[in-house]
């Protein structure tokens, strides 16, 4: 909780991250690892928290089909994830339940499968053959997932894919941040950013504070904040609804883009994409469609009881790819925004934190591809 002195003054930190979701916390942990004193300003429990509403996938397959740099970034993060998860467990004792044994994208119809294969083959050409995937016919798919339905067309298999428990991930990241001396300030959203004398003044309802540098990682809130420091973040919400079914005996061997089984045995179904503004509710029509697809993929789910559902808002740019950029008009202000906070967490805590800390790997990250100026 923010102290009285912090509400109207300066908190001792080298850099302040606005946003305490998975994106902001990953960057904050990386900056701590580089010896910086870090504060995180977070809106609190009323925030539109994509970090607590997501599917938990560490996913490579198919990401970046129209942006090779994003495909490379996703694969790099996936490779870093093992060390990232191990570091969290070593420092907090929390196992985030990372598994990276591969993942499936199951297609119900033949034309769906054909289009997906064409897309992945195009990606393989873009990366000079270095893009691993397999195409599975129904028999080969059943070898990997015996519970799959008899009417599916097949699947694509990505050996680099995996999943984690996003709630345990969030808990571990918060605990590690605090244990390392981080300041987590939760008196509400930042409403205004002003720069003067090489520093930044952050203001909210009834509070203000100064900081030397600032990272904008506030999800959908970045749209208004970025403009205040000369950056462009044309972000819009996109809703995804999620169904959670009761715990059952092991049924699924691998995660896929629509259904996964957690380490505790619960079944998670989702992947709706809805342009409904800032409505994070649920609808019977969409939930029914999600359930019907899941049952066709895995008929045994028809006998499994649903226990809860929710809606959450993705943070989407017009092309779906991240924005990473330092402001030219306000040096020391950085924008970090994406809709793949789980997949990219390891790269945010690693190379992106290096870039913000001033280490010379910006070219390696291909950051110019991800500037907001592209819109």
């Amino acid at each position: 909780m923010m102290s009285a002195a912090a509400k109207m003054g300066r908190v001792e930190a080298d850099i302040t991250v606005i946003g305490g979701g998975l994106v902001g916390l990953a960057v904050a942990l990386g900056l701590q690892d580089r010896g910086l004193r870090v504060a995180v300003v977070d809106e609190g429990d009323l925030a539109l928290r994509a970090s607590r509403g997501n599917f938990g996938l560490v996913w490579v397959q198919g990401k970046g089909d129209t942006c090779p740099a994003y495909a490379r970034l996703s694969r790099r993060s996936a490779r870093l994830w093992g060390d990232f998860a191990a570091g969290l467990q070593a420092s907090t004792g929390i196992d985030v339940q990372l598994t990276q044994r591969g993942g499936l994208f199951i297609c119900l119809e033949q034309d769906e499968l054909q289009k997906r294969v064409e897309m992945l083959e195009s990606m393989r050409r873009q990366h000079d053959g270095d893009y691993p995937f397999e195409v599975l016919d129904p028999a080969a798919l059943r070898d990997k997932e015996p519970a799959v339905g008899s009417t599916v067309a097949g699947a694509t298999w990505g050996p680099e894919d995996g999943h984690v428990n996003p709630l345990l991930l969030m808990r571990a990241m918060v605990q590690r941040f605090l244990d390392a001396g981080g300041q987590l300030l939760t008196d509400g959203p930042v409403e205004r950013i002003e720069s003067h004398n090489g520093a930044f003044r952050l203001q909210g309802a009834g509070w203000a504070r100064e900081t030397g540098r600032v990272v904008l990682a506030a999800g959908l809130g970045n749209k208004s904040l970025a403009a205040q420091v000369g950056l462009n973040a044309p972000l819009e919400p996109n809703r995804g609804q999620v169904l959670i079914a009761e715990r059952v005996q092991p049924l699924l061997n691998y995660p896929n883009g629509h259904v996964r089984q957690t380490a505790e045995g619960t079944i998670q179904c989702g992947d709706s994409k809805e342009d409904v503004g800032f409505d994070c509710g649920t609808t019977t029509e969409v939930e029914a469609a999600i359930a019907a697809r899941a049952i066709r993929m895995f008929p045994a789910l028809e006998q499994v009881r649903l226990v809860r559902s929710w809606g959450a808002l993705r943070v989407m740019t017009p092309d779906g790819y991240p924005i990473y950029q330092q402001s030219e008009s306000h040096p020391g202000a950085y924008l970090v925004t994406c809709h793949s906070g789980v997949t990219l967490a390891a790269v945010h805590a690693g190379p992106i934190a290096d870039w913000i800390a001033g280490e010379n790997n910006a070219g390696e990250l291909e950051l110019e591809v991800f500037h907001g100026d592209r819109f």
Side-chain angles (χ1 to χ4, degrees):
M1 185 173 180
M2 185 181 292
S3 68
K7 287 185 179 181
M8 298 305 294
R10 183 179 182 89
V11 175
E12 289 302 322
D14 299 309
I15 192 164
T16 298
V17 178
I18 302 177
L22 292 179
V23 173
L25 285 169
V27 172
L29 292 180
L31 293 172
Q32 284 182 323
D33 288 344
R34 285 141 188 86
L36 297 174
R37 297 171 301 169
V38 185
V40 170
V41 177
D42 187 61
E43 185 173 351
D45 289 340
L46 296 180
L48 295 169
R49 185 80 75 199
S51 299
R52 291 196 175 102
N54 67 79
F55 216 61
L57 297 179
V58 178
W59 204 256
V60 167
Q61 185 186 159
K63 284 191 172 182
D65 58 315
T66 61
C67 181
Y70 183 58
R72 287 188 286 270
L73 188 71
S74 297
R75 294 182 70 190
R76 183 174 183 182
S77 194
R79 290 192 296 269
L80 294 171
W81 244 104
D83 288 343
F84 180 59
L88 287 174
Q89 185 166 7
S91 60
T92 67
I94 299 172
D95 178 5
V96 299
Q97 300 174 354
L98 172 70
T99 62
Q100 287 180 292
R101 299 185 300 113
L104 295 163
F105 191 95
I106 298 174
C107 299
L108 300 182
E109 307 296 342
Q110 193 62 43
D111 63 339
E112 180 188 8
L113 179 61
Q114 182 61 34
K115 290 177 182 178
R116 183 161 184 85
V117 171
E118 290 172 357
M119 181 262 288
L120 292 175
E121 287 177 341
S122 175
M123 293 184 71
R124 179 176 281 170
R125 290 191 295 271
Q126 291 172 1
H127 297 278
D128 297 324
D130 180 20
Y131 196 83
F133 72 92
E134 297 177 29
V135 183
L136 307 179
D137 63 18
L141 173 57
R142 200 160 287 110
D143 286 341
K144 287 188 178 294
E145 285 289 18
V148 76
S150 60
T151 64
V152 303
T156 56
W157 160 260
E160 299 171 311
D161 299 322
H163 59 154
V164 300
N165 183 317
L167 298 181
L168 290 177
L169 175 60
M170 187 78 170
R171 177 183 164 196
M173 292 173 75
V174 170
Q175 182 174 323
R176 183 180 172 188
F177 177 71
L178 294 175
D179 289 349
Q183 302 169 68
L184 181 59
L185 313 173
T186 57
D187 266 19
V190 175
E191 297 174 350
R192 186 163 183 79
I193 305 175
E194 297 176 347
S195 62
H196 59 93
N197 298 327
F200 297 90
R201 180 177 176 84
L202 314 181
Q203 293 180 277
W207 65 269
R209 61 170 310 214
E210 292 185 357
T211 184
R213 290 188 286 165
V214 63
V215 178
L216 309 186
L220 292 166
N222 279 339
K223 185 173 185 176
S224 61
L225 294 176
Q228 298 180 37
V229 291
L231 293 166
N232 182 34
L235 305 170
E236 297 296 337
N238 180 271
R239 184 172 70 188
Q241 296 186 45
V242 176
L243 306 179
I244 302 295
E246 64 182 326
R247 298 181 183 184
V248 296
Q249 293 296 318
L251 176 68
L252 307 183
N253 293 323
Y254 304 97
N256 67 75
H258 298 86
V259 186
R260 77 179 187 103
Q261 187 168 23
T262 69
E264 293 80 15
T266 56
I267 302 293
Q268 187 173 9
C269 310
D271 196 43
S272 70
K273 295 178 175 65
E274 308 164 70
D275 293 323
V276 293
F278 287 87
D279 180 357
C280 56
T282 59
T283 63
T284 302
E285 179 182 8
V286 171
E287 288 181 333
I290 291 171
R293 184 178 180 95
I295 290 170
R296 186 170 169 191
M297 287 182 176
F298 301 99
L301 294 180
E302 189 170 11
Q303 306 303 318
V304 177
R305 293 176 297 181
L306 293 175
V307 295
R308 61 186 181 276
S309 64
W310 63 73
L313 300 180
R314 300 178 181 90
V315 181
M316 298 298 295
T317 59
D319 60 10
Y321 298 127
I323 303 175
Y324 303 118
Q325 190 171 2
Q326 180 178 190
S327 173
E328 293 184 4
S329 60
H330 298 71
Y334 301 81
L335 175 59
V336 177
T337 192
C338 72
H339 80 277
S340 295
V342 176
T343 298
L344 296 177
V347 84
H348 288 159
I352 292 295
D354 286 340
W355 161 62
I356 295 171
E359 301 188 16
N360 58 353
N361 65 348
E364 185 181 356
L365 284 171
E366 305 175 90
L367 290 181
E368 69 283 351
V369 175
F370 301 112
H371 283 185
D373 303 338
R374 69 185 188 268
F375 301 115

